[in-house]
Amino acid sequence: MSTAVVVEAPGEHRLTAHEPVPPAAGEALVRVHAVGVCGSDREVYQGNRPEGYVRYPLTPGHEWSGTVAEVGAGVPAGLVDRKVVGEGFRNCQVCDRCHAGETTLCTAGYEETGFTQPGAMAATLTLPARLLHVLPDDADLTAAALLEPAACVAAAALKANARPGERVAVVGTGTLGMFAVQFLRAGSPAELLVVGTRPDRDKLSRTFGATDFRTKDQELPADFDVVVETAGSASAARTAASLLRRGGRLVLTGIPAPGAEGLDPTDLVVRQLEVHTVFGAPPEAWAHTVRVFGAGLLSPLPLVTHELPLTGFAEAIELAGSGDPSVGKVLLRP
C-alpha cells in the first residue's frame, strides 16, 4: 500500500494510505520520484504560512520530479513514460496577468500545488498537464527534484538580464544562492562575487563558478553591474544594493520577516538603481531552467545532503530548519 503525508493542522501530521487520483480531461498522473523540503514546507507544518496561502488538511510538496504514468482526455499520449517536473501555480489562464505571461500574479486568486492543492509528498500526483515540463530521457530525476527552486532563481536571472562581461554578484549562499551563481556564470560575467554569512560556502561557491567570496563583515566593493539577492535576511536587500554601481540592476528574491530594513528611497533615486522582485516562477523561467539543466549547466546534486523516505517527514522538517551548516537540501523519496 502506498502512502502520503497529510498535515492535518499546524504541528499535526500523519501518514495515510494513498490512492492515485485518475486524471480528468487535461490532467496527468505522475509517479513521484523525489520531493524537496524547503522553508515554505516548514511554514506549512508550523502554521507560519500567511493566511490565504495554505489550506488544511494538506499533502505538502511543491518541489518534485517524476514520470508520467497516465493522461486524461485531450492530453497527448506521448507524455506517458516521460520524465517531468511541473509548475506549482494553478493560474486561471484568462486574466490579464496570465495573458501577459505573469502567471504567478494571477488575479483569480492564489492556488498552488503543495499549499492549497495536493502536493507531491505521496506516491503519485495528479495535476493539469499544461503545467508539466518534459525533461531529457537521460535526466537524473533526483537532481531534477530541485528544479522548482532553480526556476525561481531563473526568473531572477532573466530579470537581471546580465550581459557577458558584466560584473555580477549574489547575496546569499543557500540553495537559491548557489543556483543564482550557476545561472549567472552561464552568462560569462567578467567577475562573479558571492556574499554570505557562512565561510564554509566559499569552496562550493567557487565550484559553481564564483570568482570571489566574502562574508558581510569583510570590506565589500560597490561597483557591480548586477546583484541578485537570495538571502531573505533582515538586512540582505541593503547589502545587495550597496554592492551596485550607479545605474546598476538589483533583483530581490528573499522574503524576510516583518520589520526588515528597507531600501533607502533616496539612495535608489540618486543612484538610479533598477530594482526588480521575484515571487515564484512563470512558465518562461521554467522553460529556461529545463533548457539550462538539459544543457548540463546546472548541477543540483551537490546541494543534496539528505534523502529520506516519506516516513521521515518530521525529521526532514527538523533538518530543513536546523541551521546546521552540514545540512543542505533534504529530499523525501516516496
Side-chain angles (χ1 to χ4, degrees):
M1 175 70 70
S2 60
T3 58
V5 173
V6 174
V7 178
E8 296 284 0
E12 301 177 19
H13 83 281
R14 61 186 173 90
L15 289 176
T16 184
H18 173 73
E19 289 292 337
V21 178
E27 294 184 332
L29 171 66
V30 176
R31 290 189 299 269
V32 178
H33 173 81
V35 55
V37 179
C38 81
S40 297
D41 298 305
R42 187 174 171 83
E43 288 177 354
V44 167
Y45 186 61
Q46 294 182 328
N48 298 328
R49 188 83 171 159
E51 185 178 356
Y53 287 84
V54 64
R55 188 179 302 135
Y56 301 101
L58 173 71
T59 293
H62 60 287
E63 304 177 3
W64 59 269
S65 63
T67 304
V68 177
E70 185 181 348
V71 296
V75 179
L79 272 179
V80 175
D81 293 330
R82 296 302 304 272
K83 296 177 179 179
V84 293
V85 289
E87 298 174 34
F89 284 81
R90 307 288 186 94
N91 54 83
C92 75
Q93 296 187 287
V94 297
C95 72
D96 62 339
R97 290 302 87 208
C98 284
H99 281 166
E102 298 176 340
T103 54
T104 62
L105 301 179
C106 177
T107 60
Y110 171 79
E111 295 286 347
E112 186 176 3
T113 300
F115 296 107
T116 63
Q117 297 290 331
M121 291 187 187
T124 68
L125 172 66
T126 300
L127 74 167
R130 62 183 172 80
L131 299 178
L132 297 178
H133 289 261
V134 177
L135 302 171
D137 290 338
D138 60 352
D140 184 325
L141 281 176
T142 301
L146 276 70
L147 292 188
E148 192 277 341
C152 294
V153 175
L158 290 171
K159 286 193 175 185
N161 191 28
R163 304 171 182 89
E166 287 192 314
R167 302 178 71 235
V168 302
V170 174
V171 174
T173 58
T175 298
L176 296 183
M178 294 300 95
F179 275 131
V181 172
Q182 296 180 64
F183 275 113
L184 293 172
R185 183 59 184 171
S188 301
E191 184 176 347
L192 177 45
L193 168 68
V194 175
V195 177
T197 59
R198 292 175 48 183
D200 63 294
R201 298 298 255 187
D202 186 337
K203 182 178 179 180
L204 186 60
S205 297
R206 294 179 189 275
T207 298
F208 287 141
T211 59
D212 192 9
F213 181 94
R214 303 190 192 186
T215 55
K216 291 169 63 175
D217 57 355
Q218 293 178 295
E219 182 179 355
L220 299 177
D223 53 357
F224 279 75
D225 300 293
V226 173
V227 178
V228 175
E229 177 275 325
T230 67
S233 63
S235 59
R238 281 180 176 265
T239 297
S242 73
L243 296 169
L244 286 166
R245 63 165 171 81
R246 297 189 70 187
R249 305 187 297 283
L250 171 64
V251 185
L252 305 176
T253 71
I255 304 177
E261 297 179 20
L263 296 175
D264 181 353
T266 300
D267 181 57
L268 296 180
V269 174
V270 171
R271 294 204 290 142
Q272 295 186 61
L273 298 184
E274 185 179 322
V275 181
H276 297 272
T277 61
V278 168
F279 176 62
E284 179 188 19
W286 273 96
H288 182 59
T289 300
V290 170
R291 284 195 301 269
V292 173
F293 178 65
L297 298 175
L298 282 183
S299 298
L301 282 181
L303 301 173
V304 178
T305 59
H306 295 75
E307 295 183 49
L308 303 170
L310 284 183
T311 53
F313 171 76
E315 180 184 355
I317 291 293
E318 288 303 311
L319 285 168
S322 68
D324 185 337
S326 68
V327 177
K329 195 65 183 180
V330 181
L331 299 182
L332 292 175
R333 300 288 294 270

